[in-house]
Amino acid sequence: MKKAVLALLGFVLSLGLLSGNAFADDSASKLEAKVNKLIGIDYDYGGTTTKGFDCSGFTQYVFKAFDISLDRSSRDQAGQGKAVDKDDLRAGDLVFFNTSGNGISHVGIYLGDGVFVHASTNNGVIKNKLNESYYAKRYVTARRILTNDQYQDIAR
């Protein structure tokens, strides 16, 4: 009986780890811990709160939690910080996409290992891979917002 309970508990815990909603994950950065709590929140055009986010409202909300100010639109956010090559991305960098055909129209936060988090119009707050066909074709640029000290504190 004890073995069955322990096995069930192990299974439940592994589900939490796989879904990104572990009960406690000491290895997660402050950034990851923050965004993991927001996964699944609905998309809302113009949304800037946990009632619903659009893409730039989401990035603005997350960075504000760390006392970092971002402009409101993805296009304006693309002018903040400093440009960074795709090959040099690190957690906390903003990644920008042309999803409308009219220049920068979407933004997400790079988390590392090719993964970024963003507010998707169809799926709400979600993680995706930069190399997924849809995003790879539409990738435009990235900007480094965090200073080295902020990166060490927030994203590592």
Side-chain angles (χ1 to χ4, degrees):
M1 179 73 172
K2 248 185 188 179
K3 282 186 179 182
V5 170
L6 289 175
L8 180 60
L9 180 59
F11 176 72
V12 169
L13 287 173
S14 71
L15 286 177
L17 290 171
L18 290 173
S19 68
N21 294 321
F23 296 106
D25 184 2
D26 293 335
S27 67
S29 69
K30 292 176 185 176
L31 176 63
E32 281 184 286
K34 180 66 177 174
V35 300
N36 283 343
K37 292 177 186 175
L38 303 173
I39 298 292
I41 291 178
D42 288 339
Y43 181 88
D44 181 27
Y45 182 78
T48 60
T49 71
T50 54
K51 292 181 181 179
F53 293 111
D54 66 13
C55 65
S56 56
F58 170 72
T59 55
Q60 190 179 49
Y61 180 90
V62 171
F63 277 73
K64 185 177 182 180
F66 300 108
D67 295 320
I68 299 166
S69 178
L70 289 180
D71 291 335
R72 179 59 186 96
S73 73
S74 57
R75 190 167 299 201
D76 289 344
Q77 288 178 9
Q80 292 186 259
K82 67 177 188 169
V84 60
D85 289 335
K86 193 175 186 180
D87 292 337
D88 294 326
L89 288 171
R90 70 181 187 191
D93 289 342
L94 295 180
V95 288
F96 297 91
F97 305 88
N98 178 350
T99 57
S100 68
N102 293 317
I104 291 171
S105 55
H106 190 65
V107 61
I109 303 169
Y110 187 72
L111 297 175
D113 296 324
V115 175
F116 72 104
V117 62
H118 60 121
S120 158
T121 53
N122 294 328
N123 299 302
V125 178
I126 189 170
K127 293 178 184 177
N128 285 99
K129 292 264 191 188
L130 282 176
N131 66 3
E132 290 176 32
S133 177
Y134 180 85
Y135 296 104
K137 289 177 187 175
R138 290 164 177 82
Y139 180 87
V140 176
T141 191
R143 302 296 286 192
R144 180 149 300 152
I145 303 298
L146 301 177
T147 66
N148 287 335
D149 287 343
Q150 288 170 324
Y151 167 73
Q152 293 294 328
D153 181 46
I154 296 167
R156 260 192 93 183

